[in-house]
Amino acid sequence: MDLYEYQGKQYFARFGIPVSPGGVADTVDEAVERAEQAGYPVVVKAQVKVGGRGKAGGIKLANDADEVRRHAGAILGMDIRGHIVHRLWVEHASDIAKEYYASFTLDRTAKKHLGMLSAEGGVEIEEVAANNPEAIARLHIDPLRGLDEDTARRWVADARLDEEAQAPAAALLVSLYRCFVEGDCDLAEINPLVLTPDGRVHTLDAKVTLDDNAKFRHPEWEEYAATETDDPREKMAKERGLNYIGLSGDVGIIANGAGLAMSTLDVVTQVGGKAANFLDIGGGANADVMSAALEVINADPSVRAIFVNIFGGITRVDEVAKGVIEALGRVELRSPIVLRLDGTNAEEGRALLAPRLSDRLLAAPTMLEAARQVVALAAAGADASEERS
Ligand code: GDP
Ligand code: MN
């Protein structure tokens, strides 16, 4: 589960990581109130779970109530890369001498925690990694040993943080690591981590992903559930109990099992298409689940073709086929479907579907062939809609 910046900062604060005083606001009046409490100058910040808010105009400095009104009014309701701003975070503005980058994640291949630290913060870390990889100091941490202050001191020197920043940055990184481990994060990122002109090291932005598998030992995470997603597709899927992630392409994907869903995404990409979503319907591919999945995908206006990729194991393909047929009776689909059904009882499943096949419901023998067909259909759908407009 991803947190909003303000939630991430509140999470950090519990572990003693320095953040600026501030508050959330859902209206312009509230924003002014928060600004008065935090003390001018303030920064008015769009709360959306997507990066690059600054570049998109979602982060503004304000020196008085009039400026807060103006910026808050402009930012609330703004569309930042498909995310509508409903909430602001208003905090006391910091003076910046330097912008750094710091993060902890899990390196699954190395079976260790990975810390990344750079004196070149403020820009996207992918950009630094591509243009100037030696500017990132990577530190692998054995989870059984943890991160001590001495190691952190060598790390900040290695990353060439400014001399006066090194001691406070090392202390902050030890706290951030504790937050990452004890707070059960998959990602704890600060970008930018700033050095102020008076020599303090401070968090200006927070990106936190919590490890959902650790939910059982964090009753306090309950409060995040209410604000978990602002993607209407994900909300709809969640209400239907589906494991769904919205993406930006035009090929809707339904698969059983997370592994197969990911492979399906890869194959669609490989043949030149772009997935509109990731959707794993798990083991129970019955009519209810299939209808729910098709409904969610159907409600996404960017979808132009749907790829149903099922490999029967315990789930029998003839049951899946019945599910698809029944679902088609319930949901009026805007886009054509390509089915690839394989595994247990595949023959029986295909036989059930054979009489229903048409130019709106196609079947392909292999995953690759199905991917080619669905990507071609999506492209044809895009051409047709351009002609109409
Ligand atoms: P992002 O664009 O979504 O990553 O949002 P950030 O919170 O990282 O803010 C983007 C940029 O706005 C930062 O890199 C800073 O340069 C600037 N910024 C954010 N907060 C402050 C602040 O308190 N003071 C000043 N001077 N600039 C800030
Ligand atoms: Mn940032």
Side-chain angles (χ1 to χ4, degrees):
M1 171 168 54
D2 295 334
L3 299 187
Y4 287 103
E5 175 198 4
Y6 74 91
Q7 294 170 329
K9 283 180 168 166
Q10 288 164 351
Y11 209 64
F12 284 173
R14 286 207 242 149
F15 292 87
I17 298 163
V19 295
S20 304
V24 292
D26 297 338
T27 64
V28 171
D29 286 340
E30 272 176 17
V32 174
E33 236 173 84
R34 299 293 164 258
E36 309 279 331
Q37 287 160 350
Y40 295 105
V42 296
V43 240
V44 179
K45 310 186 76 175
Q47 294 302 290
V48 282
K49 291 177 183 176
V50 60
R53 295 167 302 160
K55 270 187 209 152
I59 308 236
K60 295 284 183 198
L61 283 163
N63 288 302
D64 54 43
D66 278 349
E67 285 185 12
V68 172
R69 270 183 202 290
R70 189 150 51 82
H71 294 314
I75 297 172
L76 281 169
M78 188 182 269
D79 180 335
I80 299 181
R81 291 157 63 187
H83 296 249
I84 308 295
V85 183
H86 298 296
R87 180 162 277 189
L88 303 169
W89 170 252
V90 181
E91 73 176 23
H92 183 67
S94 303
D95 284 331
I96 303 176
K98 274 292 178 56
E99 297 194 331
Y100 308 133
Y101 172 95
S103 72
F104 291 102
T105 49
L106 182 64
D107 182 340
R108 289 174 200 279
T109 316
K111 299 197 172 96
K112 286 188 172 150
H113 294 145
L114 174 64
M116 291 204 277
L117 183 62
S118 177
E120 295 188 16
V123 291
E124 289 197 15
I125 195 65
E126 290 81 3
E127 219 171 281
V128 181
N131 300 330
N132 197 6
E134 66 281 5
I136 303 172
R138 290 161 197 270
L139 179 72
H140 274 106
I141 302 158
D142 183 335
L144 298 177
R145 288 168 160 267
L147 176 65
D148 57 49
E149 190 102 22
D150 284 346
T151 310
R153 286 300 280 267
R154 285 196 297 277
W155 187 25
V156 294
D158 189 33
R160 295 198 205 95
L161 299 198
D162 301 77
E163 197 62 43
E164 72 260 45
Q166 293 194 5
L172 182 146
L173 288 165
V174 169
S175 302
L176 184 63
Y177 182 72
R178 203 165 69 77
C179 171
F180 174 72
V181 175
E182 289 173 27
D184 283 306
C185 303
D186 278 340
L187 168 72
E189 182 188 77
I190 305 179
N191 188 23
L193 174 69
V194 298
L195 171 66
T196 62
D198 57 357
R200 287 174 304 117
V201 170
H202 197 79
T203 305
L204 273 208
D205 190 9
K207 193 167 166 194
V208 171
T209 305
L210 300 173
D211 175 1
D212 289 327
N213 296 313
K215 217 178 226 162
F216 70 95
R217 57 182 169 220
H218 293 281
E220 79 279 12
W221 289 2
E222 204 51 50
E223 66 173 292
Y224 304 136
T227 58
E228 195 179 340
T229 175
D230 54 7
D231 183 329
R233 300 174 299 176
E234 292 184 11
K235 268 202 183 121
M236 185 177 174
K238 210 173 164 222
E239 284 160 12
R240 288 164 176 72
L242 297 169
N243 182 10
Y244 176 99
I245 294 160
L247 302 168
S248 58
D250 57 8
V251 177
I253 288 176
I254 299 175
N256 66 326
L260 185 61
M262 282 189 259
S263 313
T264 311
L265 248 71
D266 283 347
V267 174
V268 165
T269 307
Q270 193 193 326
V271 299
K274 277 190 88 181
N277 70 282
F278 167 102
L279 174 48
D280 161 22
I281 56 170
N286 61 27
D288 287 341
V289 178
M290 193 56 81
S291 307
L294 286 171
E295 259 176 61
V296 169
I297 287 184
N298 205 34
D300 180 349
S302 50
V303 168
R304 301 196 187 280
I306 302 168
F307 186 172
V308 177
N309 191 6
I310 305 290
F311 195 96
I314 296 170
T315 313
R316 289 162 36 205
V317 171
D318 53 334
E319 289 301 321
V320 176
K322 280 183 204 152
V324 172
I325 291 166
E326 203 181 320
L328 289 175
R330 294 192 209 168
V331 188
E332 178 98 28
L333 284 184
R334 292 183 301 100
S335 323
I337 299 187
V338 179
L339 296 158
R340 178 263 184 164
L341 303 174
D342 214 336
T344 313
N345 289 8
E347 289 298 316
E348 291 85 338
R350 289 190 198 128
L352 281 170
L353 277 161
R356 314 250 170 183
L357 296 179
S358 69
D359 61 350
R360 305 283 297 167
L361 182 66
L362 298 92
T366 66
M367 183 151 141
L368 185 61
E369 183 50 35
R372 287 203 179 106
Q373 286 188 19
V374 81
V375 169
L377 283 168
D383 289 347
S385 84
E386 254 160 46
E387 273 162 33
R388 274 198 299 278
S389 64

